[in-house]
Amino acid sequence: MMKKLVLTMLMFVPVAMMAQKFGHINSQEIMQAMPEFTKAKTEIETLQKQYESDLKSMQDELQRKSEAYEKEASTLPDNVKQRREQELQEMYQKIQQSYSDNNQALQKTSQEKMQAISAKILDAVKAVGQAGNYVYIMDVTAGIPYISNTLSTDVTSDVKSKLGLK
C-alpha cells in the first residue's frame, strides 16, 4: 500500500512542476525606460559637472599662486617663503579633500536615487509575480548564463506596464 502511494505521488510530481510558472525580466531595459531614471541620471551628471568645475577653479587658483610664488621666491624673505609654501600646501590638501568629498557625495546621491528606482521596480515585479502566479521571476541582467524561453516567460513588458511605461 505504501509503495503504491509513493509511486502515485511520484507520478504527480512532474505534472505539478510543469504547472509552475517561471518568469524573467531585463531590469536594465525597465530602468532605462523610467522617467525617474532619466531625471536621476541628468541630476547626477549635472552635480558631477558642478563638482568638476569647482575643482578646476581650485586647481587653476593653485596653479596661478604656485607660478607667482616661483617667480618671486628668490626675492622673498624666508618667513614669507615658508608662509606661502604652507598656503600652497593647504590649498593642495583642500583640493584633495574636496575631490574625495565630492566623490563620496556623488556616490551617495547616486545610490539614494538608484535605490528608490530599484525599489519601485521590485514592487512592480512582485505585483506581476503575484498577479501571474509565478514561482519566481529572475533578472537576466544578473548574469544568469541561461534561461529557457520555452519554460520561462519574459515579463519585462508586464513590469513596464505595471510602472506605466511603454
Side-chain angles (χ1 to χ4, degrees):
M1 175 76 175
M2 184 66 159
K3 260 187 176 179
K4 206 173 206 179
L5 181 62
V6 170
L7 285 174
T8 305
M9 287 177 62
L10 287 175
M11 287 176 39
F12 289 110
V13 169
V15 173
M17 287 183 74
M18 295 301 266
Q20 295 179 350
K21 291 172 63 177
F22 304 100
H24 60 274
I25 60 164
N26 182 327
S27 64
Q28 291 298 317
E29 180 183 325
I30 295 166
M31 189 178 291
Q32 290 175 356
M34 295 175 72
E36 298 95 323
F37 176 76
T38 305
K39 181 181 178 197
K41 186 177 172 185
T42 301
E43 288 173 0
I44 291 165
E45 287 172 353
T46 300
L47 186 60
Q48 183 176 11
K49 286 178 185 174
Q50 180 61 50
Y51 287 157
E52 288 172 359
S53 174
D54 292 347
L55 282 172
K56 174 104 173 75
S57 295
M58 293 169 73
Q59 290 169 337
D60 290 347
E61 181 182 356
L62 175 62
Q63 183 69 31
R64 281 192 304 277
K65 287 189 176 191
S66 180
E67 288 172 0
Y69 169 74
E70 287 176 16
K71 285 180 184 175
E72 58 187 16
S74 61
T75 62
L76 294 174
D78 285 344
N79 64 337
V80 174
K81 270 190 202 180
Q82 287 176 346
R83 189 176 66 232
R84 295 256 177 98
E85 287 171 1
Q86 181 66 32
E87 288 173 5
L88 291 172
Q89 183 63 32
E90 287 172 3
M91 286 180 74
Y92 178 74
Q93 289 172 348
K94 184 179 177 184
I95 290 170
Q96 286 183 316
Q97 187 62 48
S98 293
Y99 178 79
S100 177
D101 292 347
N102 291 352
N103 279 341
Q104 287 176 355
L106 195 61
Q107 188 174 20
K108 182 180 177 191
T109 300
S110 178
Q111 192 173 23
E112 288 170 354
K113 290 180 183 302
M114 291 302 126
Q115 187 174 7
I117 292 167
S118 294
K120 192 172 181 180
I121 292 172
L122 183 60
D123 289 344
V125 169
K126 286 178 183 177
V128 166
Q130 289 172 350
N133 293 318
Y134 287 91
V135 174
Y136 63 79
I137 297 176
M138 300 182 85
D139 185 357
V140 297
T141 61
I144 300 166
Y146 173 75
I147 293 179
S148 169
N149 288 329
T150 57
L151 299 175
S152 179
T153 305
D154 187 348
V155 294
T156 301
S157 60
D158 297 339
V159 174
K160 283 179 162 181
S161 293
K162 191 73 172 168
L163 291 167
L165 305 171
K166 293 182 180 181

